[in-house]
Amino acid sequence: QFMDTAREYSNSDYLNDPRFRIKGSNACSEQMLEWFGKNESSGLCVLSSSNFYRLSRDLETAKHQLRSTIAPSMARFLDNVVEMELRDKRYPIEGQRVSLEALRRIGAGITNIDGWLIRNGIGYDTQEGIDAITALSDAFNLGLYETSIALGAEKGSFGAFNEKLYIKAPFVKQMIERHGLRFRTMRNVCCSSIAPTGTLSSMFNTIY
């Protein structure tokens, strides 16, 4: 799982609270999670994936769709899932309630990226394909983090949020340096998570 790299880029590891340092992942390995005991903190994943095949074939239009429409919709939807889990007490153990309130961790992801590449006649392992996936992922992440900042201002930041500590996280730093984001508020400790959605992608049957 490359745990050293995962911990380096884990936003929650920079909150100066041992309860929220990641210890492993969920079963599919896409969401790194904390564990400090079943009554102290216990991570859980709140995930969904967007079907990239439905994006515009034009790269710039697709980037705009992701940043302005798809990412905001997914971030708000997943944050509402967190809220409903808390409201209806759907967490199995007490530590998960602690983690939900303190971190509000969500993981918006993607699936069927191969379908979008096939529609555009772009090879998965070509430089053009790599550049396109990088650009789409960047627009997606930007939209997610912009929305979480806005949600923080609208509804309140996640419980353990501390701006001075949070902006020390390398992933957050590069969002500041590359996109000029300001983290005065933040609704979710992290926003994106790319699951191994091979089975989901094959269900769309786009390669035929």
Side-chain angles (χ1 to χ4, degrees), residues 11-17 20 103 158 160-162 165-166 189:
N11 294 346
S12 64
D13 277 44
Y14 292 82
L15 298 175
N16 200 29
D17 190 325
F20 307 130
L103 302 178
F158 63 89
F161 177 70
N162 179 310
L165 296 175
Y166 190 69
V189 70

Side-chain angles (χ1 to χ4, degrees), residues 117 122-131 133:
L117 292 170
I122 301 173
Y124 195 87
D125 61 346
T126 63
Q127 190 60 51
E128 183 183 5
I130 293 168
D131 291 344
I133 293 170

Side-chain angles (χ1 to χ4, degrees), residues 14-186:
Y14 292 82
L15 298 175
N16 200 29
D17 190 325
R19 294 177 300 165
F20 307 130
R21 293 175 184 151
I22 59 170
K23 295 292 176 65
S25 75
N26 67 340
C28 297
S29 298
E30 74 267 26
Q31 183 68 78
M32 307 309 294
L33 298 170
E34 67 283 355
W35 170 263
F36 201 71
K38 67 178 183 178
N39 294 318
E40 297 294 332
S41 69
S42 177
L44 68 167
C45 45
V46 180
L47 310 174
S48 68
S49 295
S50 174
N51 178 9
F52 269 35
Y53 179 79
R54 300 296 299 273
L55 293 173
S56 170
R57 293 178 65 177
D58 177 71
L59 180 61
E60 292 304 314
T61 303
K63 286 164 56 179
H64 178 72
Q65 289 174 323
L66 284 167
R67 181 180 177 183
S68 64
T69 304
I70 296 171
S73 176
M74 290 181 74
R76 287 180 175 273
F77 161 68
L78 290 172
D79 187 68
N80 284 340
V81 172
V82 171
E83 192 63 29
M84 292 302 292
E85 287 186 337
L86 287 167
R87 194 195 77 172
D88 294 347
K89 300 180 179 178
R90 292 183 176 271
Y91 41 86
I93 58 177
E94 180 65 13
Q96 291 179 326
R97 180 195 63 78
V98 174
S99 290
L100 283 167
E101 290 181 343
L103 302 178
R104 305 188 70 90
R105 189 188 297 276
I106 61 173
I110 65 176
T111 190
N112 210 11
I113 191 81
D114 61 316
W116 186 87
L117 292 170
I118 289 167
R119 285 182 72 200
N120 285 278
I122 301 173
Y124 195 87
D125 61 346
T126 63
Q127 190 60 51
E128 183 183 5
I130 293 168
D131 291 344
I133 293 170
T134 300
L136 292 172
S137 299
D138 186 53
F140 187 52
N141 265 305
L142 178 56
L144 291 170
Y145 275 76
E146 286 176 327
T147 303
S148 191
I149 290 170
L151 275 170
E154 180 183 329
K155 298 182 178 183
S157 297
F158 63 89
F161 177 70
N162 179 310
E163 181 186 359
K164 292 181 179 178
L165 296 175
Y166 190 69
I167 63 174
K168 293 180 180 179
F171 189 87
V172 175
K173 277 184 180 179
Q174 61 92 18
M175 297 297 283
I176 295 170
E177 293 167 359
R178 294 174 57 243
H179 297 298
L181 296 185
R182 302 181 71 182
F183 290 90
R184 300 292 172 82
T185 59
M186 191 68 182

